[in-house]
Amino acid sequence: MIRRLLWLGVGIGVGVVVVRLVTRQARKFTPAGLAGTAQESIGHAAGSVRSFMDDVRDGMAEREDELLAAFEDGVSIEPVDLPWAHGVGSKFYQFKQQQEGEQQR
C-alpha cells in the first residue's frame, strides 16, 4: 500500500513538472510570447549595435589623435610606396620649420 502511494506521489510530481514545462513552452508560441521574444531580440540587437558604434567612435578618436600627433611632428605613420611622393614629408617639415622661423622674426 505504501509503495503504491509512493509511486502515486512520484507520478503526480513528474506530471506537475511536465505540465509546467509544456505550458511554459506553449506560452512562447502565443502571439504575446512571440512579440515578447521579438522585442527582446530587437533590444539585444540594438544594444549590440550601440556598443559596436561606441567602440568604432573610440577607435576613430584614438586614430585621429595618432594622425594629428604624427602630422604635427612631421613624421609618416605608415610608409607608402609612392615614387612621386618620396621626400614630401621631410620637405613639408622643412617648409613648416621655415615658416615658424619667419613668424618668430
Side-chain angles (χ1 to χ4, degrees), residues 23-87:
T23 303
R24 189 177 300 153
Q25 291 298 321
R27 253 189 235 136
K28 290 182 181 177
F29 294 107
T30 63
L34 291 174
T37 303
Q39 188 175 12
E40 288 175 12
S41 296
I42 291 171
H44 290 301
S48 296
V49 168
R50 205 173 298 120
S51 175
F52 173 73
M53 292 305 295
D54 289 342
D55 291 343
V56 168
R57 273 190 219 103
D58 291 344
M60 286 172 46
E62 184 179 321
R63 181 66 174 162
E64 184 178 357
D65 291 341
E66 289 175 8
L67 291 173
L68 286 174
F71 185 73
E72 288 173 355
D73 295 341
V75 296
S76 174
I77 293 237
E78 298 169 356
V80 180
D81 189 22
L82 300 174
W84 54 268
H86 287 292

